[in-house]
Amino acid sequence: MKKMLLLGGTGIVGSGTIEKALVDGYEINAIGLEPNPNLSKSVNQHIYNRLNEGEFSNFILQLTSEMGGWDVVFDVIGSQDKDAQQTCDLFRNSGTRLIFLSTTLVYSRTEKTNYPLPSTHPIASLGEMGGYVDKKVRMEQYIQSQTLPWTILRPYHILGPHSLLGCIPDHNRDPELIDRLKRGEALSLCNGGDINFNIVHPADIGRAVLAIANNPQTIHKTYNCVNPEPVSAREYYAEIARQVGGTLKIKSKSYQEIWDEHGGWE
């Protein structure tokens, strides 16, 4: 039986991968911050925090020894180069396929360009896109410097069970979004919601992970992991309103207004 370890596997993204991996015949071990009662009982869940570095690493080394190694390790929760180094060090001499989750936000936006962006598009320089992206850029740079069998996936807006909705300011991942739509409250949206973006479902990330794991040609490659067709934010909010029986009303905010507020969206 093939064996998969998911770091951060009990959350929204990991759950989608586990669902597909079980069908594909994998024995699953998932490490997370809290148990997920919705996962199959066949999944071995372990509660550890990667920030507790010694405890986290010692447990993984012990579990790896007990399992006799892994066919695939999927690091869902890596957010900086330190996390990537930790994962690489744990499996450095094992030959295990390592798959890392990054983000399409790492792409440079310094020049007007044609969309969609290919995975070969230049990466943002440090400081260009803010602290979150800087950490992801450093994470990718560390991974790409390694000779281990790694692959990087770059999703954008991940939507699955239990994920918060909303995609652009002022209502990105807004916990009150459904109630606002049901009340008919006007949403304040950048450019009236006329902004294209991409979404991806966790199950489709899982499909990509399994395809990568079974294909040696994906080693040392980086892939966009998004829906092939863009959708406008206006269409997205309108569909949510339709699904919940609400009404979409929009107050438009200009790009300049968003910029001047210094809320992190610049």
Side-chain angles (χ1 to χ4, degrees), residues 245-259:
T247 303
L248 176 62
K249 297 177 183 177
I250 295 174
K251 293 186 299 184
S252 184
K253 291 178 74 170
S254 69
Y255 289 105
Q256 190 63 48
E257 285 178 282
I258 297 293
W259 184 279

Side-chain angles (χ1 to χ4, degrees), residues 13-25:
V13 176
S15 299
T17 299
I18 288 169
E19 176 186 325
K20 296 297 181 183
L22 288 173
V23 174
D24 212 35

Side-chain angles (χ1 to χ4, degrees), residues 19-247:
E19 176 186 325
K20 296 297 181 183
L22 288 173
V23 174
D24 212 35
Y26 279 88
E27 181 178 357
I28 304 291
N29 278 263
I31 298 178
L33 292 177
E34 56 187 31
N36 185 339
N38 298 310
L39 291 178
S40 166
K41 298 236 181 336
S42 66
V43 176
N44 301 305
Q45 299 188 51
H46 313 279
I47 309 306
Y48 285 90
N49 188 336
R50 121 174 286 157
L51 296 179
N52 300 328
E53 296 179 38
E55 183 182 45
F56 184 81
S57 295
N58 288 338
F59 174 74
I60 290 177
L61 289 172
Q62 177 185 342
L63 182 62
T64 299
S65 176
E66 292 172 358
M67 295 294 296
W70 311 98
D71 295 287
V72 187
V73 172
F74 182 25
D75 191 344
V76 182
I77 52 172
S79 62
Q80 56 186 326
D81 53 347
K82 183 179 179 181
D83 298 334
Q85 182 175 356
Q86 181 187 52
T87 299
C88 289
D89 286 348
L90 285 168
F91 305 101
R92 187 164 299 283
N93 300 312
S94 65
T96 301
R97 290 289 280 110
L98 301 178
I99 303 174
F100 295 87
L101 199 70
S102 185
T103 172
T104 57
L105 293 174
V106 297
Y107 293 122
S108 176
R109 306 300 206 282
T110 54
E111 297 180 8
K112 187 173 176 60
T113 186
N114 293 324
Y115 289 88
L117 299 178
S119 59
T120 53
H121 187 81
I123 298 302
S125 57
L126 296 178
E128 178 187 333
M129 295 290 289
Y132 172 80
V133 174
D134 284 354
K135 290 179 180 180
K136 285 288 192 178
V137 168
R138 288 192 180 98
M139 183 187 85
E140 287 201 11
Q141 289 173 340
Y142 179 83
I143 295 166
Q144 291 167 351
S145 73
Q146 303 299 297
T147 58
L148 296 157
W150 57 261
T151 304
I152 296 172
L153 281 178
R154 293 176 181 149
Y156 184 48
H157 193 67
I158 301 172
L159 282 178
H162 311 294
S163 61
L164 290 173
L165 301 174
C167 58
I168 60 170
D170 292 336
H171 300 282
N172 182 65
R173 302 296 190 186
D174 181 356
E176 303 298 322
L177 179 62
I178 292 176
D179 288 335
R180 295 184 200 278
L181 292 169
K182 286 182 175 180
R183 292 194 299 264
E185 178 183 325
L187 303 185
S188 181
L189 299 181
C190 184
N191 201 38
D194 291 326
I195 297 173
N196 280 350
F197 73 108
N198 283 97
I199 58 178
V200 63
H201 193 280
D204 289 323
I205 295 177
R207 288 174 54 211
V209 167
L210 294 173
I212 287 166
N214 293 316
N215 185 351
Q217 293 185 12
T218 62
I219 292 174
H220 297 166
K221 301 285 180 63
T222 302
Y223 297 99
N224 291 330
C225 187
V226 295
N227 177 38
E229 297 298 328
V231 61
S232 77
R234 180 187 289 270
E235 293 172 311
Y236 169 89
Y237 286 106
E239 177 61 16
I240 297 171
R242 188 187 71 80
Q243 292 276 356
V244 302
T247 303

